[in-house]
Amino acid sequence: SGIPEDKPGAGKKTEFELIPEDTKVEARLIGLKPGKTQNGKNFYEAEFLIIEGEFTNRHVWTRLYTDKGANFKMRDLLQATGVYKATDNKKQSFEVHDVLQKQVTLVMGVNRYNPEKPRNEAKFINRSNNAKNETVGVSSAAASTGGGGFAL
């Protein structure tokens, strides 16, 4: 499609046009790294690769918070990949390899926290209607070790 890959540190810095708000894209989760904000909130930094359509090969990053009350995107990811069922009423745990390389539908949003540099992020993460979701080669560089858990 002629759209260059949007990879951090890959050659010279390239600016990309924002993907319009509420655009739905098919993407594969290719990275999930745990982190903590300066005020102590736990999250995973999720990296998605868009695999179909006009924005193919673009990368999208979004934070998936795991602290109670802020974990809706993490819950959405686990539901979209079949790891979590809405009827589970207990602490949810998962292994990173259970969700990596799974295909999902992202509803795009625009993060304007830094008004001078708005960036795309996933506003919603939904189950893909055309996902096969078999595991394809997962590089150890893309995955953090271990799993995670949080209470819903």
Side-chain angles (χ1 to χ4, degrees):
S1 69
I3 297 175
E5 289 194 2
D6 187 6
K7 289 187 178 178
K12 65 178 184 164
K13 190 97 170 143
T14 305
E15 294 296 322
F16 288 89
E17 287 186 34
L18 292 172
I19 298 169
E21 187 96 14
D22 296 322
T23 299
K24 291 182 180 177
V25 297
E26 291 298 307
R28 191 169 298 281
L29 179 67
I30 62 170
L32 196 61
K33 296 181 203 161
K36 191 176 282 244
T37 64
Q38 289 179 349
N39 61 359
K41 292 189 187 311
N42 296 303
F43 66 87
Y44 282 88
E45 187 73 36
E47 180 181 359
F48 296 93
L49 175 66
I50 298 175
I51 58 173
E52 294 178 10
E54 177 183 354
F55 303 104
T56 297
N57 292 328
R58 291 273 302 266
H59 290 243
V60 177
W61 292 265
T62 196
R63 282 191 177 175
L64 308 174
Y65 289 92
T66 57
D67 294 326
K68 192 160 180 71
N71 58 16
F72 62 94
K73 283 187 193 176
M74 178 58 87
R75 183 191 61 228
D76 289 350
L77 173 69
L78 296 179
Q79 285 179 319
T81 57
V83 172
Y84 168 77
K85 307 286 185 253
T87 55
D88 294 344
N89 289 323
K90 59 186 181 294
K91 182 173 178 162
Q92 181 62 41
S93 63
F94 68 97
E95 295 294 324
V96 170
H97 64 80
D98 291 336
V99 294
L100 276 178
Q101 298 299 328
K102 298 290 176 95
Q103 183 175 335
V104 296
T105 299
L106 302 178
V107 179
M108 299 306 299
V110 177
N111 179 323
R112 298 185 194 293
Y113 182 75
N114 178 349
E116 294 177 17
K117 291 189 176 186
R119 65 177 184 83
N120 279 119
E121 66 180 6
K123 185 159 61 169
F124 300 106
I125 303 169
N126 300 317
R127 183 179 295 273
S128 173
N129 290 330
N130 42 341
K132 297 179 183 48
N133 279 338
E134 67 278 353
T135 301
V136 285
V138 176
S139 76
S140 58
S144 68
T145 56
F150 61 97
L152 294 175

